[in-house]
Each structure stands twice: as structure tokens, then as C-alpha cells.
Amino acid sequence: MKKENIEEPAATAVGCLRGTISASIGMVLACLAGIWAGTYWHSILLGITTGIGIFLFCLCVSVLIMNSAKRLTTLDCILPVFISAISGVLFAPLSFVGNGSFFSSITCMGAGLLLCIVLFMYKQKRISAGYLVLPFLTFAYELLPIELPTDIDNILALGGSGVNTWLAYVNRNPVQALENFMD
């Protein structure tokens, strides 16, 4: 048996990561296609129908991607950074609408970067899969164009994810981490 075909113990987590990222991309594409179709044909119903149809298609593709994951690749590790950057650019105009912001591009990109760091540590087998949960949930939350009127949700989500990443780094080799901190 080839080493490439061996399934990792956490292949389900890898599949969920890939499926959620592809569903997030599908959601953004569905919103953009629905808005385009609604404005092009001057029909709100047609725009909604187009968006739902494209989202359902992308959801089916994400389920197929989710079930075919065998191992974590380097592309899986760096993909959250690209997805958060694309989402940050696409939803940045929402930050400037009205008195309050609806989306924070900076925290979205920060969540993607923290998830990328933790995924690389997991890929190198330095941490357990449990350390992926909080950065992954923070990443999924920050991708949504929903924000409370204050920045407390961003501070708590990104701060918790940062502390989780720091704990993952310290717990992989606590003696060396303490020596590096003291130098």
C-alpha cells in the first residue's frame, strides 16, 4: 500500500475543514450570483432563486469533498489565509455602511492566520486535533458578515483563538517554550 493513500486518524476533521471551506466559498459565490442575477434581470425572485440554486450545488460539491479527505495537505493549511483575504476584500464595503460596521476584515484575516498556524502545527504532528476546534470556530464565525455593534465579539473570538494557539505552542514542548521566552 502506498503511503499517500493511508488515511490519517483525524481524516474526519480534515474532511470537515475542506467541506466547510468549500461551503463558505459556495455561500460567497451564491450571494454574488444572486445579486448579479437580481440586478441584471430586475427580479428579486430570480436573484433569490439563482442564489439558492448555486448554493445547493456548491453544498453538494462540499459534501463530496468532505467525504473524500484522506490526509491534510499543505494547501489545506494555507487555504484559510486566502479565504479570509478574499472574504475580507469582498465584504469590506459592508464595514463602511451606516454608523456601525457589519464586518471586520482585519479580524477575519487574523482568524485565518491563526487557523493556518494551528493547522501547520497539527500537520507536523506537534499538537492534537483538539487544538483545532477553537481556531476553526473563530474562523467560521469571522467569515460571516455579522457583527455586534461593539468590537467585543471580535476581541473575545480572536483573543480566545490566540490564547488557544499559544497554549498549543507551549504544550507541544513546554521546557523549550519557557527557555525561548526567558531568552
Side-chain angles (χ1 to χ4, degrees), residues 58-77:
C58 291
L59 195 62
C60 292
V61 170
S62 70
V63 168
L64 290 174
I65 290 172
M66 190 182 306
N67 289 329
S68 66
K70 298 276 188 225
R71 61 189 181 91
L72 188 66
T73 63
T74 304
L75 182 64
D76 291 332
C77 294

Side-chain angles (χ1 to χ4, degrees), residues 22-92:
S22 61
S24 300
I25 293 170
M27 183 173 48
V28 170
L29 288 176
C31 288
L32 291 175
I35 291 170
W36 177 81
T39 56
Y40 184 76
W41 284 295
H42 304 291
S43 172
I44 294 174
L45 182 61
L46 188 59
I48 291 171
T49 306
T50 303
I52 289 173
I54 290 177
F55 180 70
L56 289 177
F57 174 75
C58 291
L59 195 62
C60 292
V61 170
S62 70
V63 168
L64 290 174
I65 290 172
M66 190 182 306
N67 289 329
S68 66
K70 298 276 188 225
R71 61 189 181 91
L72 188 66
T73 63
T74 304
L75 182 64
D76 291 332
C77 294
I78 62 173
L79 202 56
V81 173
F82 293 119
I83 297 299
S84 63
I86 291 169
S87 181
V89 168
L90 285 176
F91 292 127

Side-chain angles (χ1 to χ4, degrees), residues 28 31-32 35 87-105 142-147:
V28 170
C31 288
L32 291 175
I35 291 170
S87 181
V89 168
L90 285 176
F91 292 127
L94 291 177
S95 297
F96 306 115
V97 176
N99 293 334
S101 64
F102 296 103
F103 181 78
S104 178
S105 301
E142 292 296 340
L143 276 179
L144 298 173
I146 298 169
E147 190 168 312

Side-chain angles (χ1 to χ4, degrees), residues 108-163:
C108 180
M109 289 187 241
L113 182 64
L114 286 173
L115 180 60
C116 177
I117 291 168
V118 174
L119 283 172
F120 270 118
M121 286 195 292
Y122 177 74
K123 183 176 176 11
Q124 296 169 352
K125 300 188 183 346
R126 294 182 179 179
I127 60 171
S128 64
Y131 286 108
L132 293 173
V133 174
L134 190 59
F136 183 73
L137 289 175
T138 303
F139 175 70
Y141 172 72
E142 292 296 340
L143 276 179
L144 298 173
I146 298 169
E147 190 168 312
L148 296 175
T150 63
D151 283 333
I152 193 71
D153 62 331
N154 293 330
I155 292 168
L156 290 176
L158 208 54
S161 185
V163 167

